[in-house]
Amino acid sequence: MKAGVIGLGAMGAGMAANLAHSGQLAAVWNRTSRKADEFAAAHGVSVADGPAGVAAAADVVVTCVSADEDVLEVVEALKPALEPGKVVVDTSTVAGETARRAAEIVRSAGGEFLDAPVSGGVEGARNGTMVMMVGGGEEVLERVRPVLSVISGKAAHMGPVGAGQATKAVNQIMAAGINSAVTEALAFGETEGLDMERVIDVIQGGAAGNWFLQHRGPNMVRGVFDPGFKVVLHRKDLGIIRQTLAKKGVMLETVERIVDEYDALIADGYGDEDISALFRRKRAIFGDNA
Ligand code: NAP
């Protein structure tokens, strides 16, 4: 089974590299051609001349682009090369409604679609260990599992198209709260004059330990906020979640608070930093003591 990857950003590049190492990668494409050319030179795969070129070369097309309109644009561009048996697996984080619209477009051209958002950070994409939350036909998932098992440690079927994105929304609300809690606690810890690397190490072994503390804590206390997961992308996810909540007539305090925090970070020019850049604002709470 041959795979193709569209979108060689922080996440897509790791997925594509793992597929290349497994011998399953037939072609890649990236909007900014320089990234695709560099990837092709490093991994010895061909660069397609557009999204349809990837679909023509592959049985499974893995897409990983930024936002809702980007997914729909890419899926439209795939159409000419879709035919029965071809499966589009979208790993981007978008609204469930967008996933359902993308599935309609793919099906109208004869192919099949899975929404398969992921979690595990750039490390998880690089190491092939991220989890994947999959919506769509269970039999379609089983058919493409040989490809997905190379890029994900666990690809779980969650329900029909859109259920993957709904599960990812649960993850993103939780991630907002965790970011807030970890950055606030570490900013406090600094004001206590502690050795923060030791603090992170010991807490990681106890009940408050978590992925974000382990993978972002050490850089954070050194003032390094390389992405990672960009502030603008988590802000985009929280915007989608807000719309879903509004339909239920509900507001969540964690979501509202982090949206405000991220908007302030973006206004200050930190939108392309990792979400751990929230530490900048938590440090500022303690003023000169931080
Ligand atoms: P990224 O590094 O900013 O990469 C985005 C990729 O999407 C780039 O290859 C970009 O192409 C491409 N793209 C954007 N708009 C496009 C369009 N209209 N047509 C074609 N290509 C387009 O972002 P990322 O961190 O890899 O995230 C990608 C997706 O995964 C997002 O939905 C994000 O929310 C989700 N995600 C990210 C993480 C994480 O930790 N980073 C974790 C889980 C899920 P160019 O190179 O031309 O800009």
Side-chain angles (χ1 to χ4, degrees):
M1 185 172 280
K2 286 290 175 191
V5 175
I6 293 176
L8 300 171
M11 298 299 280
M15 294 186 225
N18 285 322
L19 286 166
H21 293 149
S22 76
Q24 295 182 82
L25 190 62
V28 295
W29 181 78
N30 192 75
R31 180 179 58 182
T32 304
S33 58
R34 179 187 44 80
K35 283 190 206 167
D37 293 340
E38 285 172 7
F39 183 90
H43 297 279
V45 295
S46 48
V47 179
D49 56 3
V54 176
D59 310 297
V60 184
V61 180
V62 177
T63 54
C64 189
V65 296
S66 308
D68 297 64
E69 60 278 13
D70 305 313
V71 170
L72 294 175
E73 194 181 313
V74 165
V75 162
E76 277 291 346
L78 287 172
K79 264 168 85 174
L82 292 177
E83 57 188 45
K86 304 248 181 198
V87 182
V88 178
V89 179
D90 180 41
T91 63
S92 323
T93 304
V94 295
E97 194 44 49
T98 301
R100 286 186 282 277
R101 178 76 198 109
E104 273 170 30
I105 296 168
V106 170
R107 284 188 200 124
S108 73
E112 281 154 311
F113 179 88
L114 298 173
D115 58 312
V118 292
S119 177
V122 288
E123 296 88 341
R126 206 165 39 230
N127 300 331
T129 53
M130 58 190 187
V131 298
M132 196 170 249
M133 310 150 204
V134 185
E138 209 164 355
E139 71 295 346
V140 182
L141 169 59
E142 292 315 318
R143 211 187 317 143
V144 301
R145 205 176 272 286
V147 167
L148 302 192
S149 63
V150 169
I151 58 181
S152 160
K154 183 184 179 96
H157 187 251
M158 307 310 301
V161 169
Q165 295 296 350
T167 309
K168 174 76 187 199
V170 176
N171 186 85
Q172 295 309 76
I173 295 171
M174 226 178 269
I178 291 167
N179 189 2
S180 181
V182 170
T183 51
E184 231 160 66
L186 293 185
F188 163 77
E190 278 191 341
T191 65
E192 292 292 292
L194 295 164
D195 175 336
M196 293 310 291
E197 297 209 2
R198 277 200 234 172
V199 169
I200 291 166
D201 182 58
V202 72
I203 288 179
Q204 185 57 29
N210 62 79
W211 186 97
F212 187 71
L213 176 67
Q214 182 186 357
H215 291 273
R216 298 290 174 261
N219 265 356
M220 208 187 293
V221 295
R222 284 183 218 121
V224 175
F225 308 108
D226 295 339
F229 183 39
K230 292 174 192 160
V231 170
V232 288
L233 290 178
H234 200 187
R235 171 64 179 87
K236 171 250 316 169
D237 300 345
L238 296 176
I240 294 167
I241 288 162
R242 252 180 166 180
Q243 285 178 8
T244 308
L245 291 168
K247 285 183 196 148
K248 298 177 196 285
V250 170
M251 279 170 71
L252 287 182
E253 195 262 334
T254 300
V255 172
E256 294 306 312
R257 197 161 34 83
I258 300 299
V259 161
D260 289 347
E261 298 268 31
Y262 284 169
D263 283 347
L265 279 173
I266 292 165
D268 288 344
Y270 300 124
D272 282 339
E273 289 192 342
D274 186 75
I275 60 168
S276 53
L278 183 56
F279 190 54
R280 292 180 181 280
R281 293 183 56 78
K282 302 300 184 183
R283 248 180 178 166
I285 296 171
F286 296 94
D288 292 339
N289 298 324

